[in-house]
Amino acid sequence: MAMLQSCIDICSSFFRRRGTLKESNSSQLKRCLTAADLTFVGIGAMLGSGVYILPGEIAGEMAGPAAVLSFLIAGLVALLNGFCFLECAGQIPQTGAAYVYAYASLGELVAFLVGWNAIAARVMSLVYVAQGWSAYFDDVIGGHIRNFTIEFVLQGEEWDAPLLTNFPDFTAGVVILLGSIPVVWGVDIFVTGNTILVVLNMVVVALVFVVSMVYADLSLLTKHGFFPFGFSGVMKGAVAASVGFCGFEAIALSSEEAHNPSRGLPIGLINAFGVSFSAFIAATLSLTVLSDYKDIQPKSSFASAFGMIGVDWLRYIVSLGAISSMTGGILTHSYCLSRFVYPMSRDGLLPALLAKTNERTKTPIWATMFGTSLAVIFSVVMDFASVINVISLLYLTEFAVVCSAVVILRYSPRARSGYVSMDGRDEDTENGTSRDEMTEMNPHDQMVTESNALIDPQSNGSGTVTHGILDCLANAQFIPKPISFILRTIRRHPRRTVISSLGLHVMFGIVLVALLTYKMDAFKQLEGAVVFGIIVSGGVSVVACCPLLFVPQYDADISFKIPLMPWLPLVALLCDIILIFQLDGLAFVTILIWMCFGLLIYLLYGIKHSLAATKCEDSNLNGN
């Protein structure tokens, strides 16, 4: 019996949630970022993620000249996901982004895994940007570093093993170490350096586009066909291109360090996205009209392309621009990595040492050092191409969680800061506040909340109005009893309704995408089982969302609201699933191993040291 109770306690710990509001003065980080700073942080993260790397990788090995379409698809999906991040950031203006959004909506276990995967994604992002930096620098000096390492370190024999690079890239490791120094010194120093690098990068990208149009050979776009790898190649390219646009999350991670998050975050994201999208399209088009896609060298594509057409002077300028761009990317990814480690440590899910901040610089030094050390190790030994697939899967699963979280948060009453114990009961949103949330408040706060709900019934957005409509429909004589029962259930258990609807939507959406991805030929031939499966899974996926139309939304005091809620986030979620299915099995195996390792850490350390567990123990002691 004791063992059964222990299992129940552990399982209940998985679903502990934290509140959605946080006191603005409680952060140990320095609030100093303006809307312009956030714009440059976003541009640095997105373009630094591969404006000189991804076009060559995608055009040369995945999509050919149609790589432009890959970036277009990835950009549109990223924009939809960006809207979801903006609304979540407006409700939870804290560093941690997807981690804290998942903690407030889906519970502690999901939040830990999201944060754990986010750490891996930023480590891998640092790896491939640093390796690209190393490749461009080595190309400028004639490949001496690569040749020296192979000859004297490996005794003339390159490495040949899955996931491993051809030779240990010590240069990439050194660059990551140096890039973490400005992040440790202070966020204002980091932003200043990043802004200078972004401006230099944009000048070079503009110059590359102008010169490439002068030397353009448009016949190269159709020499081997515009779709040499088919549309499947375009979709694989879109998955890889999503890595570049994923940098927009750096803006959401800066919420706790922004002067005015409600104003600065939307301005920063929209401006950064517009500039980065234009730069990716211009860079990809420039590369595909300069050289045959078969001749593109992914790691140093632009430098090699200008070298082949004899424009050597621009080759060195491009290398300078690439190095500055990727240096900015290393800075921003180091910043983002530390801003995931820090909140997880602050919540007790990772060692508390990593949450310590320097009193003078107000930066999480130990969190930065921890993330940097991991990135250095992987950058020296891991294969460049393998890294891109792993990063894509990590980012897309993270975005899918945020798309779900934004729906749950919109349909949940605003909670105060702190942690909410989930014991299996559902919310009673009679006055716009859940029972679980009310237990977190002291008696005075409970009285204030109840009084505010009575005085201002619209304080929770459309919640009160929708409750009234549900009550009228549920009690109407002309409504059949089964439907009336369903409406009363929705009214009584709104959170369970939202989560159940999302779960069914995701489950049957995965089945639908899997059938369309792997059984398309059978579908074209109108095979009965496949057609039936597609119709049923698609129909159930859509119908599962219908209960959301009857659940009240709590959208008051949200600085940025996604239009067409819940349909726009659900479309973004479906797009993420579609892109995930374009990845190979090795990426899934890699992530599964990483998640199992993370789950072990959570069960052995995080579940016991979580601040949520501490609060529950304190409340039990006070109750006794």
Side-chain angles (χ1 to χ4, degrees):
M1 198 67 181
M3 182 177 296
L4 178 60
Q5 184 60 42
S6 299
C7 292
I8 294 174
D9 292 340
I10 292 175
C11 291
S12 65
S13 300
F14 295 163
F15 302 101
R16 290 188 294 238
R17 294 182 291 126
R18 62 184 301 170
T20 57
L21 297 180
K22 188 177 188 297
E23 294 82 357
S24 60
N25 296 324
S26 63
S27 176
Q28 297 181 2
L29 303 179
K30 183 178 180 180
R31 287 195 178 274
C32 60
L33 301 182
T34 64
D37 294 331
L38 293 171
T39 298
F40 283 109
V41 167
I43 296 174
M46 284 189 270
L47 296 188
S49 294
V51 70
Y52 295 96
I53 303 176
L54 289 175
E57 182 75 22
I58 295 171
E61 300 182 357
M62 300 179 187
V68 173
L69 296 181
S70 297
F71 280 98
L72 178 62
I73 294 171
L76 293 176
V77 174
L79 185 61
L80 292 176
N81 285 294
F83 288 156
C84 297
F85 271 86
L86 279 181
E87 177 164 328
C88 288
Q91 298 187 51
I92 313 176
Q94 291 181 261
T95 190
Y99 159 72
V100 294
Y101 309 155
Y103 210 154
S105 58
L106 294 170
E108 188 172 278
L109 177 60
V110 174
F112 179 88
L113 293 178
V114 168
W116 184 251
N117 286 347
I119 291 173
R122 275 72 196 173
V123 168
M124 295 297 101
S125 295
L126 272 172
V127 169
Y128 96 88
V129 174
Q131 288 186 350
W133 194 103
S134 174
Y136 264 94
F137 180 76
D138 199 26
D139 181 78
V140 171
I141 64 176
H144 293 301
I145 296 178
R146 180 181 186 277
N147 295 334
F148 177 84
T149 304
I150 293 175
E151 182 176 355
F152 292 98
V153 177
L154 301 182
Q155 303 299 317
E157 296 184 4
E158 296 184 5
W159 285 342
D160 184 17
L163 299 179
L164 292 182
T165 185
N166 295 330
F167 64 97
D169 196 344
F170 298 111
T171 303
V174 172
V175 168
I176 291 176
L177 283 175
L178 296 177
S180 65
I181 294 176
V183 179
V184 171
W185 275 352
V187 66
D188 47 356
I189 297 176
F190 150 68
V191 168
T192 300
N194 177 70
T195 301
I196 295 172
L197 293 170
V198 167
V199 172
L200 177 60
N201 179 32
M202 294 308 302
V203 171
V204 174
V205 169
L207 180 62
V208 166
F209 181 73
V210 171
V211 175
S212 64
M213 291 301 104
V214 174
Y215 290 90
D217 182 2
L218 298 181
S219 65
L220 293 174
L221 296 175
T222 56
K223 182 177 179 181
H224 304 285
F226 189 70
F227 297 93
F229 298 94
F231 188 73
S232 61
V234 173
M235 293 303 296
K236 290 181 180 178
V239 175
S242 65
V243 173
F245 292 107
C246 289
F248 70 79
E249 193 182 15
I251 299 174
L253 286 166
S254 306
S255 299
E256 209 166 317
E257 294 162 280
H259 274 307
N260 186 358
S262 61
R263 179 180 180 273
L265 265 61
I267 293 175
L269 187 141
I270 293 173
N271 290 341
F273 181 84
V275 172
S276 301
F277 181 80
S278 301
F280 274 118
I281 296 296
T284 306
L285 183 60
S286 300
L287 185 61
T288 52
V289 298
L290 283 178
S291 59
D292 192 323
Y293 82 90
K294 294 184 177 181
D295 299 326
I296 293 176
Q297 299 181 20
K299 284 191 176 182
S300 56
S301 53
F302 287 95
S304 302
F306 284 112
M308 286 188 292
I309 64 175
V311 190
D312 291 327
W313 63 272
L314 187 57
R315 175 185 178 185
Y316 294 104
I317 293 178
V318 168
S319 296
L320 175 63
I323 289 174
S324 66
S325 173
M326 288 181 281
T327 302
I330 290 171
L331 293 179
T332 52
H333 286 307
S334 296
Y335 170 80
C336 293
L337 176 56
S338 64
R339 267 54 179 183
F340 273 108
V341 176
Y342 169 72
M344 293 182 68
S345 305
R346 185 171 60 182
D347 290 337
L349 300 181
L350 292 177
L353 173 66
L354 302 178
K356 290 186 177 181
T357 57
N358 183 273
E359 293 183 1
R360 183 181 63 85
T361 63
K362 295 187 181 298
T363 56
I365 294 179
W366 290 102
T368 305
M369 293 176 61
F370 170 74
T372 298
S373 300
L374 287 178
V376 168
I377 295 172
F378 283 108
S379 67
V380 173
V381 299
M382 198 162 188
D383 178 57
F384 177 85
S386 301
V387 166
I388 291 183
N389 284 333
V390 173
I391 296 173
S392 299
L393 181 57
L394 287 170
Y395 275 123
L396 289 170
T397 52
E398 181 181 326
F399 291 170
V401 170
V402 174
C403 290
S404 301
V406 72
V407 176
I408 296 173
L409 291 176
R410 174 72 78 89
Y411 289 94
S412 300
R414 303 285 78 77
R416 292 173 176 263
S417 61
Y419 301 87
V420 180
S421 177
M422 293 287 286
D423 57 3
R425 297 176 299 173
D426 207 345
E427 293 88 343
D428 177 7
T429 57
E430 190 70 37
N431 293 317
T433 307
S434 68
R435 286 195 298 263
D436 289 328
E437 290 158 7
M438 293 291 286
T439 60
E440 275 292 305
M441 304 180 188
N442 58 45
H444 173 71
D445 288 336
Q446 292 185 29
M447 291 176 62
V448 172
T449 301
E450 293 170 358
S451 298
N452 289 341
L454 293 173
I455 295 171
D456 184 9
Q458 297 301 322
S459 60
N460 285 320
S462 63
T464 305
V465 175
T466 308
H467 278 318
I469 295 174
L470 275 176
D471 289 337
C472 292
L473 290 176
N475 297 322
Q477 298 295 329
F478 61 89
I479 298 294
K481 289 185 178 180
I483 298 179
S484 178
F485 173 77
I486 293 174
L487 293 175
R488 283 196 299 270
T489 302
I490 294 174
R491 169 69 174 84
R492 194 174 304 165
H493 305 289
R495 180 178 176 81
R496 292 180 183 178
T497 300
V498 173
I499 294 179
S500 299
S501 294
L502 281 174
L504 289 173
H505 173 74
V506 171
M507 184 187 308
F508 285 94
I510 290 174
V511 174
L512 174 63
V513 174
L515 289 174
L516 291 175
T517 302
Y518 301 116
K519 296 294 183 179
M520 179 56 71
D521 292 336
F523 177 67
K524 290 179 179 178
Q525 297 175 5
L526 299 179
E527 291 189 9
V530 175
V531 173
F532 177 78
I534 290 175
I535 293 175
V536 171
S537 58
V540 174
S541 181
V542 173
V543 172
C545 303
C546 292
L548 297 177
L549 300 176
F550 299 96
V551 180
Q553 295 186 23
Y554 298 89
D555 55 3
D557 301 325
I558 299 178
S559 57
F560 180 89
K561 302 175 186 178
I562 297 177
L564 301 177
M565 175 65 78
W567 306 113
L568 203 59
L570 294 179
V571 170
L573 177 60
L574 184 61
C575 290
D576 292 334
I577 294 173
I578 292 173
L579 293 180
I580 287 174
F581 268 88
Q582 310 303 315
L583 293 166
D584 55 37
L586 184 60
F588 287 91
V589 173
T590 304
I591 299 307
L592 182 61
I593 294 174
W594 175 259
M595 289 181 66
C596 290
F597 182 54
L599 184 61
L600 185 63
I601 292 177
Y602 173 73
L603 294 175
L604 295 178
Y605 180 88
I607 197 171
K608 298 179 181 178
H609 295 83
S610 168
L611 289 186
T614 304
K615 281 182 173 289
C616 290
E617 291 176 1
D618 292 343
S619 63
N620 291 334
L621 290 175
N622 293 333
N624 294 330

